[in-house]
Amino acid sequence: MKKSLRGMALAALLVLTGCAVAPPYDPPRAEVPASFKEAAGGSWKTAQPAEAAHRGRWWAVFGDPVLDQLQERAADANQNLKAAVARLAQARARLGEARADLYPRVDAGAGPTRQRPSPASRGLPAEANTSPSTLWRAQASVAYEVDLFGRVAAGVEAASAQAEQGEALLRSVQLAVQADVAQAYFLVRELDAGQELYGGTVALRERTLALIQRRYDEGDISELDLARARTELASARSEALDIARQRAAAEHALAILLGQAPATFSLPARPLARLAVSVPPGLPSELLERRPDIAAAERAMAAANARVGVARTAFFPRLELTGALGYESAQLGDLFNWSSRTFLLGPLVGTMLTLPIFDGGRREAGLQAARAAYEEEAANYRQTVLTAFKEVEDNLANLRILADQYRAQDEAVASAARAARLSQIQYREGSVSYLDVIDADRSVLQQRRVATRLDGELARSTVNLIRALGGGWEGQAPAPAAALLPARQPS
């Protein structure tokens, strides 16, 4: 009979030990199109985050040594990046805390206690006298929770997923900083091109004003043409100062990305040229899969799923084994005598096995909250995937349409320059008024300014597309821009 009861107890313990209640993790399937609408061809498979894949120095495709140096400085000194590294260290430390629950806790201590027991505790009358006593104790205690239903394991799983999420978020911040540095750099270069354009315009209008002044002094023209020439010169100078103001602000923003005070950073002027490379359309889907924000969203979902398991274990018993071994004596000199040894098996306070019975619905509410948190993370994951595809489509469309816009804009610049030259000739011959010359010059300036902005938009869209695809690519040569965009026409 005793053997039968012992066997039943052992079987019950084995059954309880195997009853892990954490739900199996089955991430939801996000709806992913077979191909990008804005890409010319290319087969795409369902996105699966591959955070461990190497992204490389994607900005090197621009072939700009200055940009390479700026990226290295940002990697070393950007404060947002350092904060993300610290957050990852916190997540990994919390994982270490969770894993510590898998092992027994051992503590040691020593010290005296002085106590005067009550007469009732000794079975004496209330008026009886009791003497205080001192007890010296030196002992080691051990505590270990038997993970019957996987509560500790689910906590470790949740902490592990959070640590992986922290790593993915670090990569996301890293990619964002790299893209922001490239964006800010190309903005400064675009404004340098604007300054060069307006600098040439100011010089041209200064020469024109000098010519108009001579003709006015000789009585060939009226003061109206002189006033118009002065107005156009002042307007060009004002617009040049506005470009300088914008450039200063862009340079300051770039300094902050590099972790520097704006007063200690300056970037020599160098106008932006039309890019010599472009991201090829139809990249394989593995690039999209490496988006760190998708990886972070998936890991957040995994952590929420593990926390559902933790919430479920609150409905089941908890078994904690405790014990103490050491010495106790009334005199300090006798503390470590062999006869003073003592031990205790079982909890000092409370019980070894606890079984929840009634708590007013607290555990059920906790489980519902954990399930709702998982549904939230699942929705966030699907939204992140949809947003990723939108960003890729947007930038593919930008690059595709920019190719056609470049061709039209180059024609507009050439036509405006031709009209300006003809108006100058006709004005000198007296067949048109100076107002026609001003209009033609304004048109040239406007069209060249638009072309400069398109150069900046091309650079920004290229950076944005690389960022939307999750970084750089390996084993794929970037397509030459000449195959996608026309070269800038001389004007």
Side-chain angles (χ1 to χ4, degrees):
M1 184 67 178
K2 290 182 178 179
K3 291 183 178 180
S4 176
L5 292 175
R6 191 179 305 157
M8 292 174 61
L10 180 59
L13 182 60
L14 291 175
V15 170
L16 289 175
T17 305
C19 291
V21 296
Y25 177 55
D26 185 20
R29 299 293 183 265
E31 294 185 6
V32 178
S35 62
F36 281 122
K37 179 178 68 174
E38 299 294 343
S43 177
W44 295 78
K45 61 186 178 68
T46 302
Q48 296 177 347
E51 178 56 25
H54 177 62
R55 287 170 177 76
R57 301 171 67 255
W58 56 263
W59 57 88
V61 301
F62 296 108
D64 192 327
V66 177
L67 178 58
D68 296 344
Q69 295 174 5
L70 295 178
Q71 293 287 3
E72 293 175 359
R73 292 165 65 178
D76 293 335
N78 183 270
Q79 298 304 310
N80 290 333
L81 193 55
K82 289 185 176 181
V85 171
R87 287 193 295 270
L88 175 58
Q90 296 174 46
R92 288 175 174 172
R94 285 191 289 270
L95 174 59
E97 291 178 350
R99 284 176 174 168
D101 291 337
L102 295 171
Y103 304 97
R105 301 183 300 278
V106 180
D107 300 305
T113 59
R114 182 142 179 100
Q115 181 181 9
R116 181 183 183 277
S118 66
S121 65
R122 297 293 179 87
L124 300 174
E127 64 275 7
N129 290 325
T130 57
S131 300
S133 62
T134 301
L135 181 65
W136 292 86
R137 180 183 292 110
Q139 67 180 18
S141 60
V142 179
Y144 175 68
E145 179 182 350
V146 181
D147 197 17
L148 293 178
F149 299 97
R151 186 191 71 84
V152 176
V156 172
E157 184 180 351
S160 178
Q162 284 184 313
E164 292 170 351
Q165 178 192 12
E167 184 172 357
L169 290 175
L170 170 61
R171 301 305 175 194
S172 182
V173 172
Q174 185 180 44
L175 179 59
V177 169
Q178 292 168 352
D180 289 345
V181 169
Q183 295 276 25
Y185 173 75
F186 286 128
L187 177 59
V188 172
R189 293 310 186 205
E190 176 190 339
L191 294 171
D192 286 341
Q195 283 187 311
E196 181 182 58
L197 175 60
Y198 277 98
T201 300
V202 168
L204 176 62
R205 291 182 178 176
E206 285 176 345
R207 293 192 297 270
T208 300
L209 177 61
L211 176 62
I212 296 297
Q213 183 69 52
R214 286 196 299 271
R215 296 190 63 187
Y216 172 75
D217 293 340
E218 294 171 357
D220 295 339
I221 57 175
S222 67
E223 188 178 356
L224 179 60
D225 288 348
L226 180 62
R228 285 172 174 168
R230 288 173 176 171
T231 300
E232 291 304 307
L233 174 58
S235 176
R237 286 173 174 170
S238 175
E239 291 174 344
L241 291 173
D242 183 65
I243 295 292
R245 176 184 58 81
Q246 295 179 43
R247 193 212 187 260
E251 187 180 71
H252 298 164
L254 180 56
I256 298 302
L257 290 171
L258 302 180
Q260 289 187 239
T264 64
F265 175 76
S266 62
L267 193 65
R270 194 183 74 185
L272 176 66
R274 187 166 295 179
L275 290 184
V277 295
S278 179
V279 179
L283 291 172
S285 61
E286 284 80 1
L287 292 183
L288 182 59
E289 293 171 359
R290 289 188 290 111
R291 275 186 61 129
D293 56 342
I294 292 180
E298 187 273 332
R299 289 290 84 197
M301 191 168 48
N305 182 78
R307 284 191 288 269
V308 172
V310 174
R312 282 182 177 179
T313 60
F315 291 87
F316 297 89
R318 291 182 61 176
L319 175 62
E320 186 164 355
L321 304 179
T322 59
L325 178 66
Y327 298 90
E328 287 183 350
S329 68
Q331 303 295 327
L332 179 59
D334 299 332
L335 179 60
F336 293 103
N337 292 339
W338 181 249
S339 58
S340 300
R341 68 189 184 278
T342 182
F343 71 89
L344 172 68
L345 294 178
L348 298 175
V349 179
T351 59
M352 179 182 297
L353 182 66
T354 59
L355 175 64
I357 297 177
F358 177 76
D359 62 359
R362 179 184 297 273
R363 285 165 293 148
E364 181 63 29
L367 178 58
Q368 295 301 325
R371 287 172 173 167
Y374 173 78
E375 293 299 329
E376 178 187 2
E377 296 299 344
N380 289 338
Y381 170 76
R382 296 188 188 97
Q383 184 62 37
T384 301
V385 173
L386 290 175
T387 301
F389 274 92
K390 172 188 177 297
E391 291 174 355
V392 175
E393 294 281 11
D394 287 347
N395 290 286
L396 284 174
N398 285 346
L399 292 174
R400 176 177 59 81
I401 297 172
L402 273 174
D404 296 332
Q405 191 174 0
Y406 263 120
R407 297 183 182 92
Q409 188 59 37
D410 286 344
E411 292 179 4
V413 171
S415 298
R418 173 64 176 169
R421 288 191 293 269
L422 292 176
S423 66
Q424 291 284 353
I425 295 173
Q426 293 176 1
Y427 176 72
R428 286 194 295 267
E429 294 175 351
S431 58
V432 297
S433 68
Y434 187 64
L435 185 60
D436 294 322
V437 176
I438 292 175
D439 287 340
D441 286 343
R442 285 176 181 171
S443 179
V444 172
L445 178 61
Q446 179 182 4
Q447 299 305 323
R448 288 178 177 172
R449 184 72 181 113
V450 170
T452 300
R453 288 172 180 164
L454 287 180
D455 289 337
E457 184 63 27
L458 172 63
R460 284 189 290 272
S461 294
T462 303
V463 172
N464 283 337
L465 178 57
I466 295 175
R467 178 178 181 177
L469 292 169
W473 54 91
E474 286 71 40
Q476 300 234 2
L484 303 173
L485 299 171
R488 180 184 290 178
Q489 300 295 324
S491 56

